[in-house]
Amino acid sequence: MITKQELVDGIRFAGQRAAAAARNTKDWDHQLGHQWTSGDAFRHIAATAGGASGLYPLLDAGVLSGIGADRIAQGNAAAIATLTEKPKDEVVQAIIDGHNTSADFVATLDEADLAKVVKLGGYEMEKAEIVAQVWIHHAIAHAYEASARWPIT
């Protein structure tokens, strides 16, 4: 299992890497392979970056497993829309600030609670690993998707 310190460091790292990808992506209007643009993906990262303190208590409650994909998509669209008029530099800063806020929250958590195995949809793993999925893997995956331009010619 990922340790608390690795988790804290990883969340900060993911925020920095996602922010770097956002800074270096020239065309934020680039259409991705679904309904989002590159800018939408970075706005989504910014909107979710600081949410660890709100989501973490719900991991024990089981309520998250009952939220369907349509409801998640609606929430994502609404969150992206709130950041559409924000300049790029503000979105980038929100990615960094949000990840730092989530890392600060995770630093306060109990190691034994982080090690508790919970079920969340298709996941059955330690809470720390679910947090890593959401605040490390998720941010980096969207940042890569938003910034990669293949093929390189």
Side-chain angles (χ1 to χ4, degrees), residues 2 7-8 10-15 18 36 41 44-59 64 72 76 95 98-99 102-103 105-106 114 118-123 125-143:
I2 190 169
L7 191 55
V8 168
I11 292 168
R12 290 187 200 289
F13 177 79
W36 289 358
H44 170 68
I45 297 167
T48 58
S53 64
L55 185 101
Y56 189 80
L58 301 177
L59 295 177
L64 296 174
I72 291 168
N76 287 341
I95 291 169
H99 276 82
S102 286
F105 168 75
V106 170
L114 283 165
V118 295
K119 284 183 114 174
L120 175 61
Y123 295 113
M125 60 180 70
E126 297 91 354
K127 288 168 134 184
E129 294 295 341
I130 294 173
V131 171
Q133 287 287 329
V134 177
W135 278 276
I136 299 173
H137 305 272
H138 172 253
I140 290 173
H142 279 307

Side-chain angles (χ1 to χ4, degrees), residues 50-113:
S53 64
L55 185 101
Y56 189 80
L58 301 177
L59 295 177
D60 283 321
V63 295
L64 296 174
S65 292
I67 299 174
D70 288 342
R71 187 164 159 211
I72 291 168
Q74 290 169 355
N76 287 341
I80 289 167
T82 66
L83 297 172
T84 301
E85 299 302 318
K86 296 278 185 197
K88 179 179 181 177
D89 61 326
E90 286 184 32
V91 174
V92 169
Q93 193 60 51
I95 291 169
I96 294 167
D97 293 346
H99 276 82
N100 286 337
T101 296
S102 286
D104 290 346
F105 168 75
V106 170
T108 70
L109 298 174
D110 178 65
E111 291 270 5
D113 192 55

